[in-house]
Amino acid sequence: MTDSLVLEQLEQALRIPIIDGMHAQGDLLVIPARLLDEVAPRPNALWRYVPPGGVEVLRGPAGGNPHTLVAEPGSCRWTTELYDPAGLALGMFVASTVAYLMHPEHGATGSAPGAYVIRRQRENSNFGARLVAD
């Protein structure tokens, strides 16, 4: 049996940053939608509430660890139906409370209430631009 005092101490020690600006998590960027004039939901985009188990946004190559968007029930809507000329956007979410992007290796980051685009990260190399893989 687990000692509830130990669990309470662990819960209090856990600190997840809540960010209202752009932030990265491994190979993903979370960008406030207001900063991306060229990215927008398609006119008839289907929006879905993030379910209790979350939305898998991206899984690493060869079945690696997933980046999962989670939020309180009824507080966050998600769509993948975006207009994005760069082709880097994976989806957009609009949250009325804090939404979290979780990853087993990177931990979690919280996005303050608002609208955000989740995009792949790209880097330049000697061979040109390539997607960041983690």
Side-chain angles (χ1 to χ4, degrees), residues 4-101:
S4 63
L5 181 58
V6 171
L7 291 177
E8 287 174 23
Q9 289 173 346
L10 285 173
E11 203 171 281
Q12 291 172 1
L14 180 64
R15 299 275 188 248
I16 298 174
I18 308 299
I19 302 165
D20 67 355
M22 184 167 66
H23 54 283
Q25 187 183 82
D27 47 358
L28 297 184
L29 290 173
V30 179
I31 305 169
R34 68 181 185 279
L35 299 178
L36 295 171
D37 293 336
E38 73 278 9
V39 178
R42 296 203 178 274
N44 295 319
L46 176 63
W47 289 84
R48 295 195 168 130
Y49 280 101
V50 172
V55 171
E56 187 174 298
V57 177
L58 179 68
R59 184 174 285 274
N65 292 317
H67 294 270
T68 305
L69 178 66
V70 297
E72 291 294 322
S75 69
C76 184
R77 295 178 306 128
W78 164 260
T79 187
T80 58
E81 298 174 23
L82 301 176
Y83 172 74
D84 175 25
L88 297 172
L90 298 170
M92 177 182 223
F93 68 92
V94 177
S96 59
T97 62
V98 176
Y100 298 93
L101 192 58

Coordinates of all heavy atoms in Angstrom, one line a residue, residues 4-101:
S4 N -0.1 7.8 1.6 CA -0.7 8.9 0.9 C 0.1 10.2 1.2 O 0.1 11.1 0.4 CB -2.2 9.1 1.4 OG -2.2 9.4 2.8
L5 N 0.8 10.3 2.3 CA 1.7 11.4 2.6 C 2.7 11.6 1.5 O 3.0 12.7 1.0 CB 2.3 11.4 4.0 CG 3.1 12.5 4.4 CD1 2.3 13.8 4.3 CD2 3.7 12.3 5.8
V6 N 3.3 10.4 1.1 CA 4.4 10.5 0.1 C 3.8 11.0 -1.3 O 4.4 11.8 -1.9 CB 5.0 9.0 -0.1 CG1 5.9 9.0 -1.3 CG2 5.8 8.7 1.1
L7 N 2.6 10.5 -1.6 CA 1.9 10.9 -2.8 C 1.6 12.4 -2.8 O 1.8 13.1 -3.8 CB 0.7 10.1 -3.1 CG 0.8 8.7 -3.4 CD1 -0.5 8.0 -3.6 CD2 1.7 8.5 -4.7
E8 N 1.2 12.9 -1.6 CA 0.9 14.3 -1.5 C 2.2 15.2 -1.7 O 2.2 16.2 -2.4 CB 0.3 14.6 -0.2 CG -1.1 14.2 0.0 CD -1.7 14.4 1.4 OE1 -1.1 15.2 2.1 OE2 -2.6 13.6 1.7
Q9 N 3.3 14.7 -1.2 CA 4.6 15.4 -1.3 C 5.0 15.4 -2.8 O 5.5 16.4 -3.3 CB 5.6 14.8 -0.4 CG 5.4 15.1 1.1 CD 6.4 14.3 2.0 OE1 7.1 13.4 1.5 NE2 6.4 14.7 3.2
L10 N 4.9 14.3 -3.4 CA 5.3 14.2 -4.8 C 4.4 15.1 -5.7 O 4.9 15.8 -6.6 CB 5.1 12.8 -5.4 CG 6.2 11.8 -5.0 CD1 5.8 10.4 -5.4 CD2 7.5 12.2 -5.5
E11 N 3.1 15.2 -5.4 CA 2.2 16.0 -6.1 C 2.6 17.5 -5.9 O 2.5 18.3 -6.9 CB 0.8 15.8 -5.6 CG -0.3 16.2 -6.6 CD -1.7 15.7 -6.1 OE1 -2.0 14.5 -6.2 OE2 -2.4 16.5 -5.5
Q12 N 2.9 17.9 -4.7 CA 3.3 19.3 -4.5 C 4.7 19.6 -5.1 O 4.9 20.8 -5.5 CB 3.4 19.5 -3.0 CG 2.0 19.5 -2.3 CD 2.1 19.6 -0.8 OE1 3.2 19.7 -0.2 NE2 1.0 19.5 -0.1
A13 N 5.5 18.6 -5.3 CA 6.9 18.9 -5.9 C 6.8 19.0 -7.4 O 7.7 19.5 -8.0 CB 7.8 17.7 -5.5
L14 N 5.7 18.5 -8.0 CA 5.6 18.5 -9.4 C 5.2 19.9 -9.9 O 4.3 20.5 -9.5 CB 4.5 17.5 -9.9 CG 4.3 17.4 -11.4 CD1 5.5 16.9 -12.1 CD2 3.1 16.5 -11.6
R15 N 6.1 20.5 -10.8 CA 5.8 21.8 -11.3 C 5.8 21.7 -12.8 O 6.8 21.4 -13.4 CB 6.9 22.8 -10.8 CG 7.0 23.0 -9.4 CD 6.0 24.0 -8.9 NE 6.2 24.3 -7.5 CZ 5.4 24.0 -6.5 NH1 4.3 23.4 -6.8 NH2 5.7 24.3 -5.3
I16 N 4.7 22.0 -13.4 CA 4.6 22.1 -14.9 C 4.5 23.5 -15.3 O 3.6 24.2 -14.8 CB 3.4 21.3 -15.4 CG1 3.5 19.8 -15.0 CG2 3.2 21.4 -16.9 CD1 2.3 19.0 -15.3
P17 N 5.5 24.0 -16.1 CA 5.4 25.4 -16.5 C 4.2 25.7 -17.3 O 3.8 24.9 -18.2 CB 6.7 25.6 -17.3 CG 7.1 24.2 -17.8 CD 6.6 23.3 -16.7
I18 N 3.5 26.8 -17.1 CA 2.4 27.3 -17.8 C 2.9 28.5 -18.6 O 3.3 29.5 -18.1 CB 1.2 27.7 -16.9 CG1 0.8 26.6 -15.9 CG2 0.0 28.1 -17.8 CD1 0.4 25.3 -16.5
I19 N 2.8 28.4 -20.0 CA 3.4 29.4 -20.8 C 2.3 30.0 -21.7 O 1.5 29.3 -22.3 CB 4.5 28.7 -21.7 CG1 5.5 28.1 -20.8 CG2 5.1 29.7 -22.6 CD1 6.5 27.1 -21.5
D20 N 2.4 31.3 -21.9 CA 1.4 32.0 -22.7 C 2.0 32.5 -24.0 O 1.4 33.2 -24.8 CB 0.7 33.1 -22.0 CG 1.6 34.3 -21.7 OD1 2.8 34.2 -21.9 OD2 1.1 35.3 -21.2
G21 N 3.2 32.1 -24.3 CA 4.0 32.4 -25.5 C 4.4 31.2 -26.3 O 4.0 30.1 -26.0
M22 N 5.3 31.3 -27.2 CA 5.8 30.2 -28.0 C 6.7 29.4 -27.1 O 7.5 29.9 -26.3 CB 6.6 30.7 -29.2 CG 7.1 29.6 -30.1 SD 7.7 30.2 -31.7 CE 9.1 31.1 -31.2
H23 N 6.6 28.0 -27.2 CA 7.5 27.1 -26.5 C 7.7 25.9 -27.3 O 7.0 25.5 -28.2 CB 7.0 26.8 -25.1 CG 5.6 26.3 -25.0 ND1 4.5 27.1 -25.1 CD2 5.1 25.1 -24.8 CE1 3.4 26.4 -25.0 NE2 3.8 25.2 -24.8
A24 N 8.8 25.2 -27.0 CA 9.2 23.9 -27.8 C 9.1 22.7 -26.8 O 9.3 22.9 -25.6 CB 10.6 24.1 -28.3
Q25 N 8.8 21.6 -27.4 CA 8.9 20.3 -26.7 C 9.5 19.3 -27.7 O 8.8 18.8 -28.6 CB 7.5 19.9 -26.2 CG 7.6 18.6 -25.4 CD 6.3 18.1 -24.9 OE1 5.6 17.4 -25.7 NE2 5.8 18.5 -23.7
G26 N 10.8 19.1 -27.6 CA 11.4 18.1 -28.5 C 11.3 18.6 -29.9 O 11.8 19.7 -30.3
D27 N 10.7 17.9 -30.8 CA 10.6 18.2 -32.2 C 9.3 19.0 -32.6 O 9.1 19.3 -33.7 CB 10.6 17.0 -33.1 CG 9.7 15.8 -32.6 OD1 9.0 16.0 -31.6 OD2 9.7 14.8 -33.3
L28 N 8.6 19.5 -31.5 CA 7.4 20.3 -31.8 C 7.6 21.8 -31.2 O 8.3 22.0 -30.3 CB 6.2 19.7 -31.1 CG 5.8 18.3 -31.5 CD1 4.5 17.9 -30.8 CD2 5.5 18.3 -33.0
L29 N 6.9 22.7 -31.9 CA 6.7 24.0 -31.4 C 5.3 24.3 -31.1 O 4.4 23.9 -31.9 CB 7.2 25.1 -32.4 CG 8.7 25.1 -32.7 CD1 8.9 26.1 -33.9 CD2 9.4 25.6 -31.5
V30 N 5.0 25.0 -30.0 CA 3.6 25.4 -29.7 C 3.6 26.9 -29.9 O 4.4 27.6 -29.1 CB 3.2 25.0 -28.3 CG1 1.8 25.5 -28.0 CG2 3.3 23.5 -28.1
I31 N 2.9 27.5 -30.8 CA 2.9 28.9 -31.2 C 1.6 29.5 -31.0 O 0.6 29.0 -31.6 CB 3.4 29.0 -32.6 CG1 4.7 28.3 -32.8 CG2 3.6 30.5 -33.0 CD1 5.2 28.2 -34.3
P32 N 1.5 30.6 -30.3 CA 0.2 31.3 -30.2 C -0.3 31.6 -31.6 O 0.5 32.1 -32.5 CB 0.5 32.6 -29.4 CG 1.7 32.2 -28.6 CD 2.5 31.3 -29.4
A33 N -1.5 31.4 -31.9 CA -2.1 31.5 -33.3 C -2.0 33.0 -33.7 O -1.8 33.2 -34.9 CB -3.5 31.1 -33.3
R34 N -2.0 33.9 -32.8 CA -1.9 35.3 -33.2 C -0.6 35.7 -33.8 O -0.4 36.7 -34.5 CB -2.2 36.2 -32.0 CG -1.1 36.2 -30.9 CD -1.4 37.0 -29.7 NE -0.3 37.0 -28.8 CZ 0.0 36.1 -27.9 NH1 -0.8 35.1 -27.8 NH2 1.0 36.2 -27.1
L35 N 0.5 34.8 -33.6 CA 1.8 35.1 -34.2 C 1.9 34.5 -35.6 O 3.0 34.8 -36.2 CB 2.9 34.5 -33.3 CG 2.9 35.1 -31.9 CD1 4.0 34.4 -31.1 CD2 3.1 36.6 -31.9
L36 N 1.0 33.8 -36.1 CA 1.1 33.1 -37.4 C -0.1 33.6 -38.3 O -1.1 33.0 -38.4 CB 1.0 31.6 -37.2 CG 2.1 30.9 -36.4 CD1 1.8 29.5 -36.2 CD2 3.4 31.1 -37.2
D37 N 0.2 34.7 -39.0 CA -0.8 35.2 -39.9 C -1.2 34.2 -41.0 O -2.3 34.2 -41.5 CB -0.4 36.5 -40.5 CG -0.3 37.6 -39.5 OD1 -1.0 37.6 -38.5 OD2 0.5 38.6 -39.7
E38 N -0.2 33.4 -41.4 CA -0.4 32.6 -42.6 C -1.0 31.2 -42.3 O -1.4 30.5 -43.2 CB 1.0 32.3 -43.3 CG 1.9 31.4 -42.6 CD 2.8 32.0 -41.5 OE1 2.5 33.2 -41.1 OE2 3.7 31.3 -40.9
V39 N -1.2 30.9 -41.0 CA -1.9 29.6 -40.6 C -3.3 29.9 -40.1 O -3.4 30.8 -39.2 CB -1.0 28.9 -39.6 CG1 -1.7 27.6 -39.2 CG2 0.4 28.6 -40.1
A40 N -4.2 29.2 -40.6 CA -5.6 29.4 -40.1 C -6.4 28.1 -40.3 O -6.1 27.3 -41.2 CB -6.3 30.6 -40.9
P41 N -7.5 28.0 -39.5 CA -8.4 26.8 -39.7 C -9.1 27.0 -41.1 O -9.4 28.1 -41.5 CB -9.4 26.9 -38.6 CG -8.9 28.0 -37.7 CD -7.9 28.8 -38.4
R42 N -9.3 25.9 -41.7 CA -10.0 25.9 -43.0 C -11.5 26.4 -42.7 O -11.9 26.1 -41.6 CB -10.0 24.5 -43.7 CG -8.6 24.1 -44.1 CD -8.6 23.1 -45.2 NE -7.3 22.7 -45.5 CZ -6.5 23.4 -46.5 NH1 -7.1 24.5 -47.1 NH2 -5.3 23.0 -46.8
P43 N -12.1 27.0 -43.6 CA -13.5 27.5 -43.3 C -14.5 26.6 -42.7 O -15.2 26.9 -41.8 CB -14.0 28.0 -44.7 CG -12.7 28.3 -45.5 CD -11.7 27.3 -45.0
N44 N -14.5 25.3 -43.2 CA -15.4 24.3 -42.6 C -14.7 23.3 -41.8 O -15.1 22.1 -41.7 CB -16.2 23.7 -43.7 CG -17.1 24.6 -44.5 OD1 -17.7 25.5 -43.8 ND2 -17.1 24.6 -45.8
A45 N -13.6 23.7 -41.1 CA -12.9 22.8 -40.3 C -13.7 22.1 -39.2 O -14.6 22.7 -38.6 CB -11.7 23.5 -39.6
L46 N -13.5 20.8 -39.0 CA -14.2 20.0 -38.0 C -13.4 20.2 -36.7 O -12.2 19.8 -36.6 CB -14.3 18.6 -38.4 CG -14.9 17.6 -37.3 CD1 -16.3 18.0 -37.0 CD2 -14.8 16.2 -37.8
W47 N -14.0 20.7 -35.7 CA -13.3 20.9 -34.4 C -13.9 19.8 -33.4 O -15.1 19.6 -33.4 CB -13.7 22.3 -33.8 CG -13.0 23.4 -34.5 CD1 -13.4 24.0 -35.6 CD2 -11.8 24.0 -34.1 NE1 -12.5 25.0 -36.0 CE2 -11.5 25.0 -35.0 CE3 -10.8 23.8 -33.1 CZ2 -10.3 25.8 -35.0 CZ3 -9.7 24.6 -33.0 CH2 -9.5 25.6 -33.9
R48 N -13.0 19.2 -32.7 CA -13.4 18.2 -31.7 C -12.9 18.5 -30.3 O -11.8 19.1 -30.2 CB -12.9 16.8 -32.1 CG -13.4 16.3 -33.4 CD -13.2 14.9 -33.6 NE -14.0 14.4 -34.7 CZ -13.5 13.7 -35.7 NH1 -12.3 13.4 -35.8 NH2 -14.3 13.4 -36.7
Y49 N -13.6 18.2 -29.3 CA -13.1 18.4 -28.0 C -12.1 17.4 -27.7 O -12.2 16.2 -28.1 CB -14.2 18.3 -26.9 CG -15.0 19.6 -26.8 CD1 -16.3 19.7 -27.4 CD2 -14.5 20.7 -26.1 CE1 -17.0 20.9 -27.4 CE2 -15.3 21.9 -26.1 CZ -16.5 22.0 -26.7 OH -17.2 23.1 -26.6
V50 N -11.0 17.8 -27.0 CA -10.0 16.8 -26.6 C -10.6 15.8 -25.6 O -11.1 16.2 -24.6 CB -8.8 17.6 -26.0 CG1 -7.8 16.6 -25.4 CG2 -8.1 18.5 -27.0
P51 N -10.5 14.6 -26.0 CA -11.2 13.5 -25.1 C -10.3 13.3 -23.8 O -9.2 13.8 -23.7 CB -11.1 12.3 -26.0 CG -10.0 12.5 -26.9 CD -9.9 14.0 -27.2
P52 N -10.9 12.6 -22.8 CA -10.2 12.4 -21.6 C -8.9 11.8 -21.7 O -7.9 12.1 -21.0 CB -11.2 11.5 -20.8 CG -12.5 11.8 -21.4 CD -12.3 12.1 -22.8
G53 N -8.7 10.9 -22.7 CA -7.4 10.3 -22.9 C -6.4 11.1 -23.7 O -5.3 10.7 -23.9
G54 N -6.8 12.3 -24.1 CA -6.0 13.2 -24.9 C -6.0 12.9 -26.4 O -6.6 12.0 -26.9
V55 N -5.2 13.7 -27.1 CA -5.1 13.6 -28.6 C -3.6 13.4 -28.8 O -2.7 14.2 -28.4 CB -5.5 14.9 -29.3 CG1 -5.2 14.8 -30.8 CG2 -7.0 15.1 -29.1
E56 N -3.3 12.3 -29.5 CA -1.9 12.0 -29.9 C -1.6 13.0 -31.1 O -2.1 12.8 -32.2 CB -1.6 10.6 -30.3 CG -0.2 10.3 -30.5 CD 0.1 8.8 -30.8 OE1 -0.2 8.0 -29.9 OE2 0.5 8.5 -31.9
V57 N -0.7 13.9 -30.8 CA -0.4 14.9 -31.8 C 0.7 14.4 -32.8 O 0.6 14.6 -34.0 CB 0.1 16.2 -31.2 CG1 0.6 17.3 -32.2 CG2 -1.0 16.8 -30.3
L58 N 1.7 13.8 -32.2 CA 2.8 13.2 -33.1 C 3.5 12.1 -32.3 O 3.7 12.2 -31.1 CB 3.8 14.3 -33.4 CG 5.0 13.9 -34.2 CD1 4.6 13.6 -35.6 CD2 6.1 15.1 -34.2
R59 N 3.8 11.1 -33.0 CA 4.6 9.9 -32.4 C 6.0 9.9 -33.1 O 6.1 10.1 -34.3 CB 3.9 8.6 -32.6 CG 4.6 7.4 -32.0 CD 3.8 6.2 -32.1 NE 2.6 6.2 -31.2 CZ 2.7 5.8 -29.9 NH1 3.8 5.4 -29.4 NH2 1.6 5.8 -29.1
G60 N 7.0 9.7 -32.3 CA 8.4 9.6 -32.9 C 8.5 8.5 -33.9 O 7.6 7.6 -34.0
P61 N 9.5 8.6 -34.8 CA 9.7 7.6 -35.8 C 9.8 6.2 -35.3 O 10.3 6.0 -34.1 CB 11.0 8.1 -36.5 CG 11.5 9.3 -35.8 CD 10.6 9.6 -34.7
A62 N 9.5 5.3 -36.0 CA 9.6 3.8 -35.6 C 8.8 3.6 -34.4 O 9.2 2.8 -33.5 CB 11.0 3.4 -35.5
G63 N 7.6 4.2 -34.2 CA 6.8 3.9 -33.0 C 7.3 4.5 -31.7 O 7.0 4.0 -30.7
G64 N 8.1 5.6 -31.8 CA 8.6 6.2 -30.6 C 7.6 6.8 -29.7 O 6.4 6.5 -29.8
N65 N 8.0 7.6 -28.7 CA 7.1 8.1 -27.7 C 6.2 9.2 -28.3 O 6.6 10.0 -29.1 CB 7.9 8.7 -26.6 CG 8.6 7.7 -25.8 OD1 8.0 6.6 -25.5 ND2 9.9 7.9 -25.4
P66 N 4.9 9.3 -27.9 CA 4.0 10.3 -28.4 C 4.0 11.6 -27.7 O 4.3 11.6 -26.5 CB 2.7 9.6 -28.2 CG 2.8 8.8 -27.0 CD 4.3 8.3 -27.0
H67 N 3.7 12.6 -28.4 CA 3.4 13.9 -27.8 C 1.9 13.9 -27.7 O 1.2 13.7 -28.8 CB 3.8 15.1 -28.7 CG 5.3 15.2 -28.8 ND1 6.1 16.0 -28.0 CD2 6.2 14.7 -29.7 CE1 7.4 15.9 -28.4 NE2 7.4 15.1 -29.4
T68 N 1.3 14.1 -26.6 CA -0.1 14.0 -26.4 C -0.7 15.3 -25.8 O -0.2 15.8 -24.8 CB -0.5 12.8 -25.5 OG1 0.1 11.7 -26.0 CG2 -2.0 12.7 -25.3
L69 N -1.7 15.9 -26.4 CA -2.4 17.0 -25.9 C -3.5 16.6 -25.0 O -4.4 15.8 -25.3 CB -3.0 17.8 -27.1 CG -3.8 19.1 -26.7 CD1 -2.9 20.2 -26.1 CD2 -4.5 19.6 -28.0
V70 N -3.5 17.1 -23.7 CA -4.5 16.8 -22.7 C -5.1 18.0 -22.1 O -4.4 19.1 -22.1 CB -4.0 15.8 -21.6 CG1 -3.6 14.5 -22.2 CG2 -2.9 16.5 -20.8
A71 N -6.4 18.0 -21.7 CA -7.0 19.1 -21.1 C -8.2 18.6 -20.3 O -8.7 17.5 -20.4 CB -7.5 20.1 -22.2
E72 N -8.7 19.5 -19.4 CA -9.9 19.2 -18.7 C -11.1 19.0 -19.7 O -11.2 19.7 -20.7 CB -10.3 20.3 -17.7 CG -9.3 20.5 -16.6 CD -9.4 19.3 -15.6 OE1 -10.5 18.8 -15.4 OE2 -8.3 18.9 -15.1
P73 N -12.0 18.0 -19.4 CA -13.1 17.8 -20.3 C -13.9 19.0 -20.6 O -14.2 19.8 -19.8 CB -14.0 16.8 -19.5 CG -13.0 16.1 -18.6 CD -12.0 17.1 -18.2
G74 N -14.2 19.2 -21.9 CA -15.0 20.4 -22.4 C -14.3 21.7 -22.4 O -14.9 22.7 -22.7
S75 N -12.9 21.7 -22.2 CA -12.2 23.0 -22.1 C -11.3 23.3 -23.3 O -10.8 24.3 -23.4 CB -11.4 23.0 -20.8 OG -10.3 22.1 -20.9
C76 N -11.1 22.3 -24.2 CA -10.2 22.4 -25.3 C -10.7 21.8 -26.5 O -11.1 20.6 -26.5 CB -8.8 21.8 -24.8 SG -7.5 22.1 -26.0
R77 N -10.7 22.5 -27.6 CA -11.1 22.0 -28.9 C -9.9 21.9 -29.8 O -8.9 22.7 -29.7 CB -12.1 22.9 -29.6 CG -13.4 23.0 -28.8 CD -14.5 23.9 -29.5 NE -13.9 25.2 -29.7 CZ -14.0 25.9 -30.8 NH1 -14.6 25.4 -31.9 NH2 -13.5 27.1 -30.9
W78 N -9.9 20.9 -30.8 CA -8.7 20.6 -31.6 C -9.1 20.4 -33.0 O -10.2 19.7 -33.3 CB -8.1 19.4 -31.0 CG -7.1 18.6 -31.8 CD1 -7.3 17.5 -32.6 CD2 -5.7 18.9 -32.1 NE1 -6.2 17.1 -33.2 CE2 -5.2 18.0 -32.9 CE3 -4.9 19.9 -31.6 CZ2 -3.9 18.0 -33.4 CZ3 -3.6 19.9 -32.0 CH2 -3.1 19.0 -32.9
T79 N -8.3 20.9 -34.0 CA -8.5 20.5 -35.4 C -7.2 20.3 -36.1 O -6.2 20.9 -35.7 CB -9.4 21.6 -36.1 OG1 -9.7 21.1 -37.4 CG2 -8.6 22.9 -36.2
T80 N -7.2 19.5 -37.1 CA -6.0 19.3 -37.9 C -6.3 19.9 -39.3 O -5.4 19.8 -40.2 CB -5.7 17.8 -38.1 OG1 -6.8 17.1 -38.6 CG2 -5.3 17.2 -36.7
E81 N -7.5 20.4 -39.5 CA -7.9 21.0 -40.8 C -7.5 22.4 -40.9 O -8.2 23.3 -40.6 CB -9.4 20.8 -41.0 CG -9.8 19.3 -41.0 CD -11.3 19.1 -41.1 OE1 -12.0 20.0 -41.5 OE2 -11.7 18.0 -40.6
L82 N -6.2 22.6 -41.3 CA -5.6 24.0 -41.3 C -5.1 24.3 -42.7 O -4.7 23.4 -43.5 CB -4.4 24.1 -40.4 CG -4.7 23.8 -38.9 CD1 -3.4 23.8 -38.1 CD2 -5.7 24.8 -38.3
Y83 N -5.1 25.6 -43.0 CA -4.4 26.1 -44.2 C -3.0 26.5 -43.6 O -2.9 27.4 -42.7 CB -5.1 27.3 -44.7 CG -4.3 28.0 -45.8 CD1 -4.2 27.4 -47.1 CD2 -3.7 29.2 -45.6 CE1 -3.5 28.0 -48.1 CE2 -2.9 29.8 -46.5 CZ -2.8 29.2 -47.8 OH -2.1 29.8 -48.8
D84 N -2.0 25.9 -44.2 CA -0.6 26.2 -43.7 C 0.3 26.1 -44.9 O 0.7 25.0 -45.3 CB -0.2 25.3 -42.6 CG 1.3 25.4 -42.2 OD1 1.8 26.5 -42.4 OD2 1.9 24.5 -41.7
P85 N 0.7 27.2 -45.6 CA 1.6 27.2 -46.8 C 2.9 26.5 -46.5 O 3.5 25.9 -47.4 CB 1.8 28.6 -47.1 CG 0.8 29.4 -46.4 CD 0.3 28.6 -45.2
A86 N 3.4 26.5 -45.3 CA 4.7 25.9 -45.0 C 4.6 24.4 -44.8 O 5.6 23.7 -44.9 CB 5.4 26.5 -43.8
G87 N 3.4 23.9 -44.5 CA 3.2 22.5 -44.3 C 3.8 21.9 -43.1 O 4.0 20.7 -43.0
L88 N 4.0 22.7 -42.1 CA 4.6 22.3 -40.8 C 3.6 22.1 -39.7 O 3.8 21.4 -38.7 CB 5.6 23.3 -40.3 CG 6.8 23.4 -41.2 CD1 7.7 24.6 -40.8 CD2 7.6 22.1 -41.3
A89 N 2.4 22.7 -39.8 CA 1.4 22.6 -38.8 C 0.7 21.2 -38.7 O 0.4 20.6 -39.7 CB 0.3 23.7 -39.0
L90 N 0.6 20.7 -37.5 CA 0.0 19.4 -37.2 C -1.4 19.6 -36.7 O -2.3 18.7 -36.9 CB 0.8 18.7 -36.1 CG 2.2 18.3 -36.5 CD1 3.0 17.8 -35.3 CD2 2.2 17.3 -37.7
G91 N -1.7 20.8 -36.1 CA -3.1 21.0 -35.6 C -3.1 22.3 -34.9 O -2.1 23.0 -34.6
M92 N -4.3 22.7 -34.5 CA -4.6 23.9 -33.7 C -5.5 23.6 -32.6 O -6.4 22.8 -32.8 CB -5.2 25.0 -34.7 CG -5.6 26.3 -34.0 SD -6.4 27.4 -35.2 CE -5.6 28.9 -34.7
F93 N -5.3 24.2 -31.4 CA -6.2 24.0 -30.3 C -6.6 25.4 -29.7 O -5.8 26.3 -29.8 CB -5.7 23.1 -29.3 CG -4.5 23.5 -28.5 CD1 -4.7 24.2 -27.3 CD2 -3.2 23.3 -28.9 CE1 -3.6 24.6 -26.5 CE2 -2.1 23.7 -28.2 CZ -2.3 24.3 -27.0
V94 N -7.8 25.4 -29.2 CA -8.3 26.6 -28.5 C -8.8 26.1 -27.2 O -9.6 25.2 -27.1 CB -9.5 27.2 -29.3 CG1 -10.1 28.4 -28.5 CG2 -9.1 27.6 -30.7
A95 N -8.2 26.7 -26.1 CA -8.4 26.2 -24.8 C -9.0 27.3 -23.9 O -8.4 28.5 -23.9 CB -7.1 25.7 -24.2
S96 N -10.0 27.0 -23.1 CA -10.5 28.0 -22.1 C -9.8 27.9 -20.8 O -10.0 28.8 -19.9 CB -12.0 27.8 -22.0 OG -12.3 26.5 -21.6
T97 N -9.1 26.8 -20.5 CA -8.3 26.6 -19.3 C -6.9 26.1 -19.8 O -6.7 25.9 -21.0 CB -8.9 25.6 -18.4 OG1 -9.0 24.3 -19.0 CG2 -10.3 26.0 -17.9
V98 N -6.0 25.9 -18.9 CA -4.7 25.4 -19.3 C -4.8 24.0 -20.0 O -5.6 23.1 -19.6 CB -3.8 25.2 -18.1 CG1 -2.5 24.6 -18.4 CG2 -3.6 26.6 -17.4
A99 N -4.1 23.9 -21.1 CA -4.0 22.6 -21.8 C -2.5 22.2 -21.7 O -1.6 23.0 -21.7 CB -4.4 22.8 -23.3
Y100 N -2.3 20.9 -21.7 CA -1.0 20.3 -21.5 C -0.5 19.5 -22.7 O -1.3 18.7 -23.2 CB -0.9 19.5 -20.2 CG -1.2 20.3 -19.0 CD1 -2.6 20.3 -18.5 CD2 -0.3 21.0 -18.3 CE1 -2.9 21.0 -17.4 CE2 -0.6 21.7 -17.2 CZ -1.9 21.7 -16.7 OH -2.2 22.5 -15.6
L101 N 0.7 19.7 -23.1 CA 1.4 18.8 -24.0 C 2.3 17.9 -23.2 O 3.2 18.4 -22.5 CB 2.2 19.6 -25.1 CG 2.6 18.9 -26.3 CD1 1.5 18.2 -27.1 CD2 3.4 19.8 -27.2

